[in-house]
Amino acid sequence: MTQPVDLRSDTVTRPTPAMRRAIAEAVVGDDVMGDDPTMIELESRVAALCGKEAALFVPSGTMGNQLGIAVSTRPGDQVMIESESHVFHYEQAGVGANNGCLANVVTTERGAITPAMLEDAIEDPEDDHVARLALVCAENTHNRHGGAVVPLDALRASAATARARGVRVHLDGARLWNASVASGIPIREWAATADTVMMCFSKGLGAPVGSILVGEGDAMRRARRIRKRWGGGMRQVGILAAACLHALDHHVKRLADDHRRARALAEGVRDVPGLRVSAPETNIVFLDLEHAALDLPTVHRTLEERGVWLLPYGRRRLRATTHLDVDDESIARAIHVLRAVLEEQVAARA
């Protein structure tokens, strides 16, 4: 049976044979007791890569983001988040539910929170009536802005304004690896724009589980304690750290292949009538069904039946995400099926 072309997300990747060997051969200890050597190696390596004092492995990007908020705020503080951000849409109101903070939600141009937005939100911290702005959360690359790389200068400008006013910065860098490869700018320079940074191993890097939070030593010590309270302490977790170390060694530079394939996919269907296609900067392509004949549930179901899996992303949008398990042949097949299905749907209503 032919395997489907699964473009739903870069989280669907399966460990490569080499990664499975690394997992099987991992030297482990008890990470809750602090003596898993493979995890110690991973956390030390990523902290150094980011130019930060310490790092903490977490089961998910969501936990990493929520810990980043937790170590920089107190209940009753205000946190600025972007209206299309992961923190706002996909973390079950964790800003309030987990951390007791007020979310100040702002709308941006392709994910870039501006200094002016920060200035407008900062009120007199001595005024007992107001929630003190304590933290601003950025995201890069930006998922709901189509995998956009938020420019480094934009992040630096907002960080400078925040720091001048005593406001901390957290960067949701779930796909920061993609931003680094696409831009040619080292991870350390992106990480310098934030006090805490979260990065995922289980998306483009192809590891089965895990993300990491980096920051100052004291902040990571607090994060480790809160992680335990939230149920995130794990024991022989070196088996996961080994997969992440393998990914760092073998799967970062190849992200350029994912970006190239996303561009190929976009170009391959760009001229289909009734379809608007985003210009991908990294590995995400948005397909907007603009023709009245293109009914999203019908299109999605028909594509799935023909072996091309995409992610519904709103009432009229499908998302395609390239990744480790999608090769050039898979992209060619996806283009062929997409064109056929969409053209059939339009012709049927003509």
Side-chain angles (χ1 to χ4, degrees), residues 110 139-150 175 178-179 182 259 278-286 313 319-321:
R110 293 178 66 76
E139 181 175 331
N140 206 18
T141 63
H142 203 295
N143 177 22
R144 287 178 63 91
H145 285 290
V149 179
V150 179
R175 295 183 176 92
N178 295 84
H259 302 169
S278 67
E281 294 183 39
T282 52
N283 68 323
I284 294 174
V285 183
F286 285 161
Y313 217 65
R319 188 188 77 172
T321 307

Short mmCIF file of all heavy atoms in Angstrom, two decimals, residues 110 139-150 175 178-179 182 259 278-286 313 319-321:
data_model
loop_
_atom_site.label_atom_id
_atom_site.label_comp_id
_atom_site.label_asym_id
_atom_site.label_seq_id
_atom_site.Cartn_x
_atom_site.Cartn_y
_atom_site.Cartn_z
N ARG A 110 2.48 40.45 10.52
CA ARG A 110 3.29 39.24 10.39
C ARG A 110 4.09 38.91 11.66
O ARG A 110 5.23 38.48 11.62
CB ARG A 110 4.22 39.33 9.18
CG ARG A 110 3.46 39.32 7.86
CD ARG A 110 4.36 39.46 6.65
NE ARG A 110 5.26 38.35 6.46
CZ ARG A 110 4.90 37.15 5.97
NH1 ARG A 110 3.65 36.91 5.65
NH2 ARG A 110 5.80 36.19 5.81
N GLU A 139 7.19 35.26 18.89
CA GLU A 139 7.19 33.93 18.28
C GLU A 139 7.96 33.98 16.97
O GLU A 139 7.78 34.90 16.18
CB GLU A 139 5.75 33.48 18.01
CG GLU A 139 5.64 32.09 17.39
CD GLU A 139 4.20 31.63 17.24
OE1 GLU A 139 3.33 32.03 18.05
OE2 GLU A 139 3.93 30.85 16.29
N ASN A 140 8.84 32.95 16.74
CA ASN A 140 9.65 32.93 15.52
C ASN A 140 10.17 31.51 15.27
O ASN A 140 10.79 30.93 16.17
CB ASN A 140 10.83 33.89 15.66
CG ASN A 140 11.33 34.40 14.34
OD1 ASN A 140 10.64 34.36 13.33
ND2 ASN A 140 12.55 34.90 14.33
N THR A 141 9.92 30.91 14.07
CA THR A 141 9.07 31.46 13.03
C THR A 141 7.63 31.53 13.54
O THR A 141 7.32 30.93 14.57
CB THR A 141 9.12 30.60 11.75
OG1 THR A 141 8.59 29.29 12.03
CG2 THR A 141 10.54 30.44 11.26
N HIS A 142 6.79 32.22 12.77
CA HIS A 142 5.42 32.43 13.24
C HIS A 142 4.47 31.52 12.46
O HIS A 142 4.24 31.69 11.27
CB HIS A 142 5.02 33.89 13.07
CG HIS A 142 3.90 34.28 13.98
ND1 HIS A 142 2.65 33.74 13.86
CD2 HIS A 142 3.85 35.15 15.03
CE1 HIS A 142 1.86 34.25 14.80
NE2 HIS A 142 2.57 35.11 15.52
N ASN A 143 3.91 30.56 13.19
CA ASN A 143 3.07 29.53 12.59
C ASN A 143 1.88 30.12 11.84
O ASN A 143 1.71 29.89 10.64
CB ASN A 143 2.61 28.58 13.70
CG ASN A 143 1.66 27.50 13.22
OD1 ASN A 143 1.62 27.17 12.04
ND2 ASN A 143 0.87 26.96 14.13
N ARG A 144 1.03 30.88 12.52
CA ARG A 144 -0.21 31.35 11.92
C ARG A 144 0.00 32.52 10.96
O ARG A 144 -0.95 32.96 10.31
CB ARG A 144 -1.23 31.71 13.01
CG ARG A 144 -1.81 30.48 13.69
CD ARG A 144 -2.77 30.85 14.81
NE ARG A 144 -3.93 31.57 14.33
CZ ARG A 144 -5.08 31.00 13.95
NH1 ARG A 144 -5.20 29.67 13.97
NH2 ARG A 144 -6.09 31.74 13.55
N HIS A 145 1.21 33.00 10.85
CA HIS A 145 1.58 33.93 9.78
C HIS A 145 2.34 33.18 8.67
O HIS A 145 3.15 33.76 7.94
CB HIS A 145 2.40 35.09 10.31
CG HIS A 145 1.58 36.11 11.07
ND1 HIS A 145 0.68 36.93 10.46
CD2 HIS A 145 1.53 36.41 12.40
CE1 HIS A 145 0.09 37.72 11.36
NE2 HIS A 145 0.60 37.42 12.54
N GLY A 146 2.08 31.88 8.55
CA GLY A 146 2.60 31.11 7.43
C GLY A 146 4.07 30.75 7.53
O GLY A 146 4.74 30.64 6.51
N GLY A 147 4.56 30.53 8.75
CA GLY A 147 5.98 30.21 8.90
C GLY A 147 6.90 31.38 8.63
O GLY A 147 8.07 31.21 8.26
N ALA A 148 6.37 32.59 8.83
CA ALA A 148 7.16 33.80 8.57
C ALA A 148 8.34 33.91 9.53
O ALA A 148 8.23 33.57 10.72
CB ALA A 148 6.28 35.04 8.70
N VAL A 149 9.45 34.39 9.02
CA VAL A 149 10.61 34.71 9.85
C VAL A 149 10.45 36.16 10.31
O VAL A 149 10.55 37.09 9.51
CB VAL A 149 11.93 34.54 9.07
CG1 VAL A 149 13.11 34.91 9.95
CG2 VAL A 149 12.06 33.10 8.56
N VAL A 150 10.17 36.34 11.59
CA VAL A 150 10.07 37.69 12.13
C VAL A 150 11.48 38.29 12.12
O VAL A 150 12.41 37.71 12.67
CB VAL A 150 9.50 37.68 13.56
CG1 VAL A 150 9.43 39.10 14.13
CG2 VAL A 150 8.10 37.04 13.57
N ARG A 175 10.02 26.83 16.18
CA ARG A 175 10.69 26.62 14.88
C ARG A 175 11.81 27.65 14.67
O ARG A 175 12.07 28.07 13.55
CB ARG A 175 9.67 26.68 13.75
CG ARG A 175 8.62 25.57 13.79
CD ARG A 175 7.68 25.62 12.59
NE ARG A 175 6.75 24.50 12.57
CZ ARG A 175 5.53 24.51 13.13
NH1 ARG A 175 5.11 25.61 13.76
NH2 ARG A 175 4.74 23.45 13.07
N ASN A 178 14.29 26.72 12.09
CA ASN A 178 13.95 27.08 10.72
C ASN A 178 14.30 28.53 10.41
O ASN A 178 14.81 28.84 9.32
CB ASN A 178 12.45 26.87 10.47
CG ASN A 178 12.04 25.41 10.57
OD1 ASN A 178 11.79 24.91 11.67
ND2 ASN A 178 11.97 24.73 9.44
N ALA A 179 14.04 29.42 11.36
CA ALA A 179 14.39 30.83 11.16
C ALA A 179 15.89 31.00 10.97
O ALA A 179 16.34 31.78 10.11
CB ALA A 179 13.90 31.67 12.35
N ALA A 182 16.89 29.52 7.48
CA ALA A 182 16.38 30.35 6.38
C ALA A 182 17.11 31.68 6.27
O ALA A 182 17.33 32.18 5.16
CB ALA A 182 14.88 30.60 6.56
N HIS A 259 12.46 23.74 3.31
CA HIS A 259 12.09 25.06 2.80
C HIS A 259 12.01 25.03 1.27
O HIS A 259 11.09 25.61 0.68
CB HIS A 259 13.10 26.10 3.26
CG HIS A 259 13.23 26.18 4.75
ND1 HIS A 259 14.25 26.89 5.37
CD2 HIS A 259 12.48 25.66 5.75
CE1 HIS A 259 14.11 26.79 6.68
NE2 HIS A 259 13.06 26.04 6.94
N SER A 278 0.16 31.00 -0.41
CA SER A 278 1.14 31.87 0.25
C SER A 278 2.53 31.63 -0.33
O SER A 278 2.81 30.57 -0.91
CB SER A 278 1.16 31.59 1.76
OG SER A 278 1.66 30.28 2.03
N ALA A 279 3.40 32.61 -0.17
CA ALA A 279 4.81 32.47 -0.57
C ALA A 279 5.59 32.05 0.66
O ALA A 279 5.84 32.87 1.55
CB ALA A 279 5.33 33.79 -1.12
N PRO A 280 5.97 30.78 0.76
CA PRO A 280 6.58 30.30 2.00
C PRO A 280 7.99 30.85 2.22
O PRO A 280 8.81 30.86 1.31
CB PRO A 280 6.61 28.78 1.81
CG PRO A 280 6.60 28.58 0.34
CD PRO A 280 5.80 29.71 -0.24
N GLU A 281 8.25 31.28 3.45
CA GLU A 281 9.60 31.68 3.85
C GLU A 281 10.36 30.50 4.43
O GLU A 281 11.59 30.48 4.40
CB GLU A 281 9.54 32.80 4.87
CG GLU A 281 8.99 34.11 4.33
CD GLU A 281 9.01 35.21 5.38
OE1 GLU A 281 10.00 35.30 6.14
OE2 GLU A 281 8.03 35.99 5.44
N THR A 282 9.61 29.54 4.99
CA THR A 282 10.26 28.38 5.59
C THR A 282 9.53 27.11 5.12
O THR A 282 9.57 26.82 3.94
CB THR A 282 10.30 28.50 7.13
OG1 THR A 282 8.98 28.78 7.63
CG2 THR A 282 11.25 29.62 7.55
N ASN A 283 8.88 26.38 6.01
CA ASN A 283 8.34 25.08 5.64
C ASN A 283 6.81 25.00 5.70
O ASN A 283 6.26 23.90 5.71
CB ASN A 283 8.93 23.98 6.54
CG ASN A 283 8.49 24.09 7.99
OD1 ASN A 283 8.34 25.20 8.52
ND2 ASN A 283 8.30 22.96 8.64
N ILE A 284 6.12 26.15 5.75
CA ILE A 284 4.67 26.16 5.85
C ILE A 284 4.07 26.84 4.63
O ILE A 284 4.53 27.92 4.23
CB ILE A 284 4.22 26.87 7.15
CG1 ILE A 284 4.66 26.06 8.37
CG2 ILE A 284 2.71 27.09 7.17
CD1 ILE A 284 4.40 26.74 9.70
N VAL A 285 3.05 26.21 4.05
CA VAL A 285 2.34 26.77 2.89
C VAL A 285 0.86 26.85 3.23
O VAL A 285 0.26 25.85 3.66
CB VAL A 285 2.53 25.89 1.63
CG1 VAL A 285 1.84 26.53 0.43
CG2 VAL A 285 4.01 25.66 1.34
N PHE A 286 0.26 28.02 3.04
CA PHE A 286 -1.18 28.19 3.20
C PHE A 286 -1.85 28.12 1.84
O PHE A 286 -1.41 28.78 0.88
CB PHE A 286 -1.51 29.54 3.84
CG PHE A 286 -1.23 29.61 5.32
CD1 PHE A 286 -1.10 30.84 5.94
CD2 PHE A 286 -1.12 28.47 6.10
CE1 PHE A 286 -0.87 30.94 7.31
CE2 PHE A 286 -0.88 28.54 7.46
CZ PHE A 286 -0.76 29.78 8.07
N TYR A 313 -7.35 24.66 8.36
CA TYR A 313 -6.77 25.74 9.16
C TYR A 313 -7.68 26.97 9.10
O TYR A 313 -7.25 28.05 8.72
CB TYR A 313 -5.37 26.06 8.60
CG TYR A 313 -4.36 26.41 9.66
CD1 TYR A 313 -3.96 25.47 10.60
CD2 TYR A 313 -3.78 27.67 9.71
CE1 TYR A 313 -3.02 25.78 11.56
CE2 TYR A 313 -2.83 27.99 10.67
CZ TYR A 313 -2.46 27.04 11.59
OH TYR A 313 -1.54 27.35 12.55
N ARG A 319 -3.45 23.96 5.48
CA ARG A 319 -2.03 24.18 5.72
C ARG A 319 -1.25 22.94 5.31
O ARG A 319 -1.63 21.81 5.63
CB ARG A 319 -1.76 24.45 7.21
CG ARG A 319 -0.33 24.88 7.50
CD ARG A 319 -0.04 24.96 8.98
NE ARG A 319 0.17 23.63 9.56
CZ ARG A 319 0.60 23.41 10.81
NH1 ARG A 319 0.84 24.43 11.61
NH2 ARG A 319 0.75 22.17 11.26
N ALA A 320 -0.16 23.17 4.59
CA ALA A 320 0.78 22.10 4.24
C ALA A 320 2.12 22.42 4.88
O ALA A 320 2.62 23.55 4.76
CB ALA A 320 0.92 21.99 2.72
N THR A 321 2.70 21.44 5.55
CA THR A 321 3.98 21.64 6.23
C THR A 321 4.96 20.56 5.79
O THR A 321 4.69 19.36 5.96
CB THR A 321 3.79 21.58 7.76
OG1 THR A 321 2.77 22.50 8.16
CG2 THR A 321 5.09 21.94 8.47
#
